[in-house]
Amino acid sequence: MTVIALPRVRRRAPVALGACLLSFAAFWWAQRAAHVSMIDLMVYRAEGETVRAGGDLYALRTTEAHLPTTYPPFAALLFTPLTLLGTSAMRTLATAGNLALLVVFVALSLRLVDHARVESVWWVSAAAVWCEPVWTTVRYGQINLLLGVLVLWDLTRRPWHRWAGVGIGLAAAIKLTPALFAVFLLVTGVVAYARRVPGGPWLRHARGAAVTFAGATLLAASALPHDSWRFWSRMVFETGRVGLVEDTANQSLRGVLARLLHTTQPGLWWVAAAAVAGSLGLGVAVAAELRERRAWAVAACAVTALLISPVSWSHHWVWCVPMVLILGTRGRAAAVGTALVTAVGTALVFCSYALWWVPHGPGRLELQQTGAQLTLSALYEGAGLVFLTLIGVRLWRTNRTV
């Protein structure tokens, strides 16, 4: 009897797929056992219902938590199909959709680091689904993975492709934070020209993002003129609508400073910190891009956006997935051990759920945190700052050896 040996790759892929499906099934069961509310998904549906009814989008308060509308009007237009589904079907489809988006997000992240083997996608997805940002994204029915996929799809393709900028522009029209990627492309193009290097591809990419953003925003304005005027003239400046700045879930520099200073108004301290972090982070991203380190540049830009945003909820940090992959795959051969230790350490931070170990909830308990509690509630920001520092040091060392 002749035994035909399958190629190793063909044997590994089904095993990896099976492990991923098993992990996803366990995750789905755990979410149901935890009785997740998917509260943000319910807000999205309420926004869609308000649009269909011709109501005042930014006067909306919905769910038991009386949550307001915080996204631009274009997002509300996209949420209108949710009104066609029953609550149970909507939650099921949202969970399945987020799991599918996670696989795509992982695949694009692996493509970013030039490591796009099929079995790697399944193994990484099986592990990534359990990190806190992904768990919380699915728990709330959030759209972070969709935004991440739009941005990475745009930035993992050739810069001169016909759809350059569309992904970033759409992501920014849905939620403003991804707009920093367009700024990154613009600054890179300008710096390239200043150095007498052709900056056209970056400028065209930035222009594509700007045109797409403007088109989506004007579309929303034509459909929802009153809501668009209110958002762009007033609501966009009212960051307090999003939530309490000192909330432990707010993993931005502003949230850290609010808890550290025991105040709800970190004021100029946050402005100064955001200005410094934004300038240095964007500088690192641009430098990495000009050195043809696209993976470093994209992740540095994402981390910078999360740090300087007035509110970056813990589920916004799904960008920890490419962060960990970059840390684990971009070290030099002589420093593989250090790279892996750093990657594992970063993964543990985002899988620890440590920010929920500290006092939080009603009563503004976050303003009374002790030193150890403050450390635990600042782990994401700390990981982001360490990541930017490591990328900056690697770029500096590479520059010295050239």
Side-chain angles (χ1 to χ4, degrees):
M1 178 177 177
T2 303
V3 178
I4 300 176
L6 292 173
R8 183 177 299 179
V9 172
R10 293 180 61 187
R11 292 199 304 267
R12 287 190 306 220
V15 173
L17 174 59
C20 182
L21 292 176
L22 183 62
S23 179
F24 280 10
F27 175 88
W28 197 308
W29 176 86
Q31 288 262 317
R32 293 298 174 265
H35 302 290
V36 295
S37 64
M38 296 193 130
I39 191 170
D40 289 344
L41 182 63
M42 303 307 295
V43 174
Y44 300 157
R45 186 185 190 191
E47 291 181 25
E49 290 174 340
T50 302
V51 168
R52 292 188 64 183
D56 190 338
L57 191 59
Y58 295 99
L60 174 69
R61 291 293 186 278
T62 187
T63 73
E64 294 180 359
H66 301 287
L67 296 177
T69 301
T70 58
Y71 294 172
F74 179 68
L77 288 179
L78 299 183
F79 295 148
T80 53
L82 295 177
T83 62
L84 305 177
L85 301 171
T87 301
S88 179
M90 181 179 64
R91 288 178 172 176
T92 298
L93 287 175
T95 301
N98 264 322
L99 292 178
L101 285 168
L102 174 62
V103 173
V104 178
F105 187 62
V106 167
L108 292 172
S109 298
L110 286 167
R111 180 189 296 179
L112 197 64
V113 297
D114 300 322
H115 190 82
R117 290 201 298 264
V118 174
E119 65 270 19
S120 298
V121 173
W122 299 125
W123 284 120
V124 174
S125 298
V129 73
W130 295 99
C131 72
E132 190 274 338
V134 173
W135 169 277
T136 311
T137 288
V138 182
R139 171 191 174 188
Y140 291 147
Q142 262 284 343
I143 58 171
N144 306 298
L145 290 168
L146 171 63
L147 300 179
V149 165
L150 285 172
V151 171
L152 284 186
W153 171 83
D154 205 339
L155 292 172
T156 53
R157 296 164 65 86
R158 294 181 177 180
W160 54 85
H161 71 89
R162 68 167 63 182
W163 302 105
V166 170
I168 292 172
L170 286 175
I174 297 170
K175 192 171 184 177
L176 295 179
T177 308
L180 189 65
F181 287 97
V183 176
F184 149 71
L185 292 168
L186 174 63
V187 174
T188 303
V190 171
V191 172
Y193 270 123
R195 295 182 178 182
R196 299 189 178 183
V197 176
W202 292 293
L203 294 179
R204 284 193 297 272
H205 206 151
R207 182 179 60 199
V211 169
T212 302
F213 172 81
T217 301
L218 290 174
L219 174 64
S222 65
L224 304 168
H226 173 70
D227 293 322
S228 294
W229 172 255
R230 285 197 70 194
F231 180 81
W232 294 108
S233 66
R234 178 181 171 187
M235 299 304 170
V236 70
F237 304 108
E238 295 185 1
T239 57
R241 288 170 53 86
V242 180
L244 299 177
V245 63
E246 76 276 6
D247 195 314
T248 298
N250 183 11
Q251 294 293 298
S252 70
L253 288 174
R254 187 168 178 244
V256 169
L257 287 171
R259 295 188 290 271
L260 179 64
L261 300 174
H262 306 292
T263 178
T264 60
Q265 298 294 333
L268 291 177
W269 288 104
W270 169 64
V271 174
V276 172
S279 299
L280 294 178
L282 197 58
V284 168
V286 170
E289 179 71 7
L290 291 174
R291 298 299 298 275
E292 298 183 356
R293 308 285 188 175
R294 170 57 65 90
W296 296 5
V298 172
C301 185
V303 169
T304 301
L306 291 168
L307 288 174
I308 67 175
S309 176
V311 175
S312 292
W313 300 126
S314 66
H315 50 78
H316 295 168
W317 284 82
V318 291
W319 286 94
C320 66
V321 174
M323 282 172 61
V324 170
L325 292 174
I326 289 167
L327 290 172
T329 61
R330 289 285 156 171
R332 295 173 300 174
V336 170
T338 302
L340 289 177
V341 169
T342 306
V344 170
T346 304
L348 289 176
V349 165
F350 289 100
C351 291
S352 67
Y353 295 71
L355 65 129
W356 301 115
W357 301 354
V358 303
H360 61 277
R364 314 198 95 157
L365 300 176
E366 290 89 345
L367 296 177
Q368 305 166 30
Q369 290 181 359
T370 64
Q373 293 167 348
L374 287 168
T375 300
L376 290 176
S377 65
L379 284 179
Y380 290 10
E381 296 88 343
L385 290 171
V386 169
F387 179 82
L388 290 178
T389 301
L390 289 174
I391 297 299
V393 169
R394 288 184 184 180
L395 288 170
W396 177 69
R397 288 179 175 174
T398 303
N399 188 55
R400 289 187 63 189
T401 59
V402 174

